[in-house]
Amino acid sequence: MERFTVHTGTAVPLRRSNVDTDQIIPAEYLKRVTRTGFEDGLFAAWRKDPGFVLNRPEYSGASILVAGTDFGTGSSREHAVWALHDHGFRAVVSPRFGDIFRGNAGKSGLLTACVEQEVVERLWATVEAEPTTPVTVDLVARRVSAGGVAAPFEVDDYARWRLLEGLDDIGLTLRHVDQIELFEATRPSQLPRTVPVDG
Amino acid sequence: MGRTLAEKVWDAHVVHRAGGEPDLLYVDLHLVHEVTSPQAFEGLRLAGRRVRRPDLTLATEDHNVPTIGIDLPIADPVSRTQVETLRRNCEEFGLVLHRMGEAEQGIVHIIGPQLGLTQPGMTVVCGDSHTSTHGAFGALAFGVGTSEVEHVLATQTLPMRPFRTMAVTVDGQLRPGVTAKDVVLAMIATIGTGGGQGYVIEYRGEAIRALSMEARMTICNMSIEAGARAGMVAPDETTFAYLKDRSHAPHGSDWDVALEAWRALGTDDDAVFDAEVVLRAEQIEPFVTWGTNPGQGLPLSASVPDPASFSDEGARNAAERALEYMGLTPGTPLRDIAVDTVFLGSCTNGRIEDLRAAAEVIRGRRVADGVRMLVVPGSMQVRAQAEYEGLDELFLEAGAEWRSAGCSMCLGMNPDQLAPGERSASTSNRNFEGRQGRGGRTHLVSPLVAAATAVTGRLSAPADLPQRVGV
Ligand code: SF4
């Protein structure tokens, strides 16, 4: 996983709240079996509208998404994170995120930064007034800044540590394989197994 | 201090705990389907890892399954690739797989309980948000993303941060014609689609205790639509009776050992929840959604709301957008809304009791002209049971379509979809824009409302139907 420390790029203002993962990437894109190449599915329904913010040339190449509250609710599809990532986003800024989405994001190196609604409003105003404004998301200092806006953001400590270190989850867990074995040795024997039962 | 049901299950599964880190939780049952697993298996292969516990892992084909011609190769090449990839992966990693059309195949959240694999006190995960369904047994069951699927495959554990706990108590008795689906839709409308965020909900109270296991599953299933990660009901005699003699349930002396453990799981009297919500059962009416998230719902007797009536600006804007998408005018009685399609099925309402309830309404009546009704059993076993009871004939005689098991129109990954602008009354769990097909408009309803709506062609409850002639 790529490390995330400080990232500077331009930002897209997405003036919508409750953007569920069905909107981020519709179900039809979930049929793929690969792990990359999902950028064409990102906001697919909305992108049919030439006026949709992501279609506007002034926001092409942006790497930070500034969205309304409750971003990434709904379906657990991790493809939503991959689509954002494959499109080139490194961070999403919003007042609140769907739980599963936030968990998924951290695993793919996409930062989800929680800020006050008022900060989102000011970021929107800033990048709408001047789309080329550089926006900096500083994970070390937990701060987001752009033009005259500078504000702290919240991020789970553990997710932050892993992003900073670029650490893979499974590798972390396998450091405790002895404890897993110990736990397995004491599990009650009547617990079910999925292998077919006879008779 | 006493502990809640959720806390007891959690504590019993901690493999490793260290300050500042999430707890490492052991997973008792890992369910796998074709949509969220291919990249997880790809990850294992890339890292040269194996599945740690194939004997605690079960795979099924559901999301892409065509519900007509289930015995034929899938026509859509992409759907076929996903299903074939799952088959190859299960073979390579030695996993049990229920293939489409086989006797035990079905929607992942229907077959776990049906096989007796979902039991009280277990931890159950699946790469699917509606894994919350299994909480009806007093299991801690939650959906995970594909990376976590890979993590569980490789380690049989998951690093998790503790949830907060919320009690949703439904006091009193439900009125006739009011179902579990109405309860959960009313609950979501009360606390909002974000109201359960960060919580595990425990459903309690007289009305919940009176529900069957299948009805409890319907409620726990939709916990995620309130933002909660999981929903649970403490196991009781209803739970034990459901499990007894299922193929994977404990047998003989194991059963007694298990029973004793299960009885100790309930929330202690002195346990404290982080949040509490109380609903009065008598006040709940048949409930339908009018908008594009499951919290935008009202009693069937109400009218389409005026966005201007919402004091919160976000809610007002959301309502405006929703009404535009749904093609609805404020003030229209919900009962006047005409539908093109009725979908009975999904992991929310695709079990045998749901089919029975709908069949009883349809019996001796006809699906209205111009309305298509799709009946999609949640599993092949539900389908077989329904056919044994003759329910298929009741539906077919009424003019409905009788299908094989799968997710079907719940999310429109298979050919069962709404056309743009088409409107459905659907027993599924999500009315998001385009969920049932691009441009499709979804009203979430109970199986009873679905069946009555099929008969009248407008959102209706069974009580609205004229008496049957000659039956
Ligand atoms: S029936 Fe619908 S909600 Fe349930 S698992 Fe299938 S797609 Fe998901």
Side-chain angles (χ1 to χ4, degrees):
Chain A
M1 195 172 85
E2 237 178 303
R3 284 171 170 235
F4 192 117
T5 48
V6 181
H7 173 77
T8 301
T10 55
V12 181
L14 184 66
R15 281 192 180 264
R16 299 193 190 208
S17 58
N18 256 302
V19 175
D20 58 72
T21 51
D22 276 70
Q23 307 313 321
I24 299 175
I25 186 163
E28 56 193 280
Y29 292 90
L30 272 51
K31 294 183 175 180
R32 300 184 182 165
V33 294
T34 54
R35 197 145 193 168
T36 51
F38 286 94
E39 61 275 13
D40 55 337
L42 181 67
F43 300 123
W46 294 341
R47 271 160 85 189
K48 295 207 161 49
D49 168 10
F52 179 58
V53 65
L54 226 63
N55 289 335
R56 303 231 298 269
E58 62 269 34
Y59 294 112
S60 71
S63 55
I64 297 161
L65 186 68
V66 184
T69 195
D70 288 322
F71 186 87
T73 52
S75 150
S76 60
R77 61 189 68 166
E78 200 156 351
H79 311 66
V81 170
W82 301 336
L84 286 161
H85 189 267
D86 292 350
H87 189 276
F89 287 110
R90 296 293 322 274
V92 186
V93 180
S94 165
R96 194 162 64 176
F97 294 91
D99 272 345
I100 304 182
F101 176 84
R102 212 183 42 214
N104 290 342
K107 294 173 173 49
S108 292
L110 180 76
L111 171 66
T112 49
C114 289
V115 297
E116 300 288 325
Q117 176 69 30
E118 165 259 342
V119 175
V120 165
E121 306 273 355
R122 283 162 57 211
L123 288 172
W124 280 340
T126 305
V127 300
E128 277 168 358
E130 186 44 71
T132 58
T133 313
V135 179
T136 297
V137 183
D138 182 341
L139 183 58
V140 183
R142 303 178 204 235
R143 288 186 75 78
V144 56
S145 53
V149 187
F153 63 78
E154 274 179 40
V155 56
D156 175 271
D157 281 337
Y158 183 67
R160 173 170 172 269
W161 172 69
R162 284 198 3 234
L163 278 169
L164 289 173
E165 302 290 325
L167 276 172
D168 152 77
D169 261 349
I170 297 180
L172 278 171
T173 293
L174 289 175
R175 294 178 309 163
H176 306 301
V177 71
D178 296 355
Q179 278 164 286
I180 298 176
E181 278 165 11
L182 199 67
F183 187 92
E184 287 177 331
T186 57
R187 285 177 82 234
S189 62
Q190 80 275 3
L191 283 170
R193 292 160 21 105
T194 55
V195 288
V197 229
D198 302 322
Chain B
M1 194 176 74
R3 292 179 301 164
T4 63
L5 164 64
E7 288 161 347
K8 290 183 189 182
V9 180
W10 182 285
D11 290 347
H13 289 84
V14 175
V15 169
H16 170 82
R17 177 175 279 171
E21 285 178 39
D23 282 353
L24 191 62
L25 284 197
Y26 200 80
V27 174
D28 289 320
L29 176 64
H30 184 197
L31 302 165
V32 174
H33 64 73
E34 77 275 15
V35 179
T36 51
S37 67
Q39 290 88 358
F41 286 112
E42 192 179 298
L44 286 187
R45 245 187 316 266
L46 288 173
R49 291 176 173 136
R50 306 292 310 161
V51 174
R52 181 173 180 86
R53 294 297 299 264
D55 60 330
L56 304 183
T57 311
L58 180 72
T60 187
E61 300 167 357
D62 54 10
H63 284 64
N64 284 281
V65 169
T67 55
I68 307 182
I70 200 163
D71 43 347
L72 304 172
I74 302 178
D76 178 69
V78 197
S79 287
R80 192 169 63 227
T81 305
Q82 277 202 340
V83 169
E84 282 170 358
T85 304
L86 179 66
R87 290 181 181 178
R88 265 202 316 278
N89 285 330
C90 286
E91 195 151 318
E92 179 182 340
F93 291 96
L95 305 185
V96 181
L97 168 69
H98 294 305
R99 295 167 168 234
M100 50 184 223
E102 287 179 4
E104 300 293 4
Q105 175 263 341
I107 303 172
V108 66
H109 310 309
I110 304 241
I111 66 169
Q114 183 177 284
L115 289 164
L117 279 170
T118 306
Q119 297 173 16
M122 288 173 60
T123 46
V124 180
V125 307
C126 174
D128 192 286
S129 52
H130 292 100
T131 308
S132 57
T133 313
H134 305 263
F137 290 81
L140 182 60
F142 45 88
V144 296
T146 298
S147 295
E148 292 168 307
V149 170
E150 182 181 337
H151 195 282
V152 178
L153 287 171
T155 69
Q156 203 59 31
T157 63
L158 258 190
M160 298 284 294
R161 295 258 176 219
F163 303 118
R164 285 174 294 167
T165 56
M166 176 187 287
V168 171
T169 306
V170 190
D171 283 327
Q173 291 174 6
L174 293 175
R175 295 193 308 203
V178 178
T179 68
K181 183 65 162 287
D182 305 306
V183 173
V184 72
L185 286 174
M187 189 274 291
I188 299 165
T190 306
I191 71 171
T193 51
Q197 190 136 33
Y199 289 100
V200 170
I201 297 177
E202 182 181 332
Y203 298 96
R204 306 155 61 84
E206 186 188 353
I208 301 293
R209 293 261 78 88
L211 294 175
S212 70
M213 277 321 294
E214 297 200 353
R216 294 176 189 183
M217 284 188 246
T218 299
I219 293 193
C220 288
N221 173 278
M222 288 195 68
S223 304
I224 179 77
E225 309 310 335
R229 208 50 197 279
M232 299 176 91
V233 176
D236 58 11
E237 296 308 319
T238 305
T239 322
F240 309 146
Y242 179 98
L243 280 167
K244 186 105 181 89
D245 298 327
R246 298 218 168 233
S247 58
H248 288 264
H251 291 279
S253 59
D254 278 350
W255 172 262
D256 300 323
V257 175
L259 206 57
E260 203 185 313
W262 295 345
R263 287 192 199 282
L265 283 171
T267 294
D268 296 327
D269 290 339
D270 56 343
V272 180
F273 289 91
D274 298 311
E276 300 212 38
V277 174
V278 179
L279 301 178
R280 289 293 321 170
E282 293 80 10
Q283 288 169 5
I284 302 175
E285 295 178 48
F287 222 82
V288 301
T289 61
W290 50 266
T292 52
N293 74 54
Q296 292 174 321
L298 280 170
L300 178 60
S301 56
S303 299
V304 175
D306 186 345
S309 68
F310 292 90
S311 49
D312 176 76
E313 191 189 334
R316 186 158 64 238
N317 293 342
E320 263 166 26
R321 270 184 64 79
L323 291 191
E324 191 188 325
Y325 180 84
M326 293 295 287
L328 293 174
T329 321
T332 310
L334 294 171
R335 281 194 163 90
D336 286 357
I337 297 174
V339 305
D340 309 288
T341 296
V342 173
F343 171 61
L344 175 61
S346 86
C347 60
T348 312
N349 283 127
R351 283 170 286 266
I352 189 69
E353 288 176 12
D354 301 312
L355 301 196
R356 282 185 195 137
E360 180 49 33
V361 175
I362 281 282
R363 183 172 56 84
R365 296 187 164 115
R366 284 208 57 82
V367 173
D369 285 345
V371 173
R372 133 177 102 139
M373 181 180 192
L374 243 65
V375 185
V376 185
S379 71
M380 289 308 271
Q381 209 185 352
V382 169
R383 180 178 150 100
Q385 177 67 26
E387 290 181 348
Y388 173 75
E389 296 176 21
L391 305 185
D392 55 329
E393 280 166 31
L394 289 178
F395 286 117
L396 287 166
E397 275 164 22
E401 297 175 36
W402 179 247
R403 298 293 188 84
S404 293
C407 293
S408 178
M409 199 180 267
C410 176
L411 88 168
M413 272 187 92
N414 77 347
D416 305 337
Q417 297 188 7
L418 293 180
E422 262 188 345
R423 187 181 297 283
S424 77
S426 175
T427 64
S428 54
N429 43 48
R430 288 190 171 146
N431 50 346
F432 297 157
E433 292 181 20
R435 171 81 175 181
Q436 297 191 294
R438 186 169 297 157
R441 296 161 167 168
T442 304
H443 297 273
L444 299 178
V445 300
S446 73
L448 290 177
V449 169
T453 299
V455 172
T456 63
R458 293 169 188 281
L459 294 179
S460 310
D464 302 333
L465 301 181
Q467 283 300 310
R468 275 177 271 243
V469 263
V471 227

